[in-house]
């Protein structure tokens, strides 16, 4: 697994998160860009929601691109149906970083903080 850092996304991560999700957009059916208000609005609502957030996995070992250093994302809503429920609304890993344990690390961190 690459040397990754997992942290909670902040509002200033909006642009890199949107660019990252655009990379994997067509792997969802229907694509996220074709749902509701599209990627930008979807990301913003999660970043600013009272009980919603993203955890992002970053790799700082190489140069950053349009999506910054983001190589994986898990988005969730806490207290979805009750105080002990968390709903995962998005999970994706950059195609070049798959099969390296990134999704497992994101899930473990989500379980730890949920």
């Amino acid at each position: 697994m690459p040397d990754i850092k997992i942290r909670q996304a902040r509002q200033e991560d909006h642009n890199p998160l949107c660019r990252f999700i655009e990379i994997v957009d067509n792997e969802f059916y229907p694509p996220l860009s074709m749902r509701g208000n599209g990627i930008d609005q979807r990301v913003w609502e999660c970043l600013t929601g009272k009980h919603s957030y993203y955890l992002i996995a970053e790799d700082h070992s190489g140069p950053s691109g349009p999506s910054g250093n983001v190589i994986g994302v898990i988005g969730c809503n806490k207290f979805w149906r009750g105080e002990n429920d968390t709903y995962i609304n998005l999970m994706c890993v950059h195609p070049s970083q798959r099969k390296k344990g990134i999704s497992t690390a994101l899930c473990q961190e989500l379980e730890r903080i949920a």
Side-chain angles (χ1 to χ4, degrees), residues 1-29:
M1 178 164 63
D3 184 23
I4 64 169
K5 175 184 172 189
I6 297 176
R7 66 175 177 84
Q8 189 166 334
R10 301 177 297 267
Q11 289 182 7
E12 57 265 23
D13 294 311
H14 178 259
N15 238 14
L17 273 168
C18 290
R19 302 305 70 85
F20 175 77
I21 292 171
E22 287 171 356
I23 293 169
V24 297
D25 185 38
N26 286 324
E27 296 181 17
F28 293 92
Y29 185 80

Side-chain angles (χ1 to χ4, degrees), residues 44-97:
W44 186 250
E45 288 172 0
C46 190
L47 287 172
T48 59
K50 182 176 180 183
H51 297 294
S52 60
Y53 57 90
Y54 291 108
L55 293 178
I56 56 176
E58 297 176 305
D59 180 5
H60 294 279
S61 64
S64 62
S67 61
N69 297 308
V70 179
I71 59 171
V73 175
I74 190 168
C76 70
N77 299 84
K78 287 179 83 170
F79 314 118
W80 182 54
R81 288 194 175 160
E83 67 178 54
N84 295 320
D85 291 341
T86 299
Y87 174 73
I88 296 174
N89 58 40
L90 173 78
M91 185 168 181
C92 47
V93 173
H94 192 284
S96 70
Q97 298 297 319

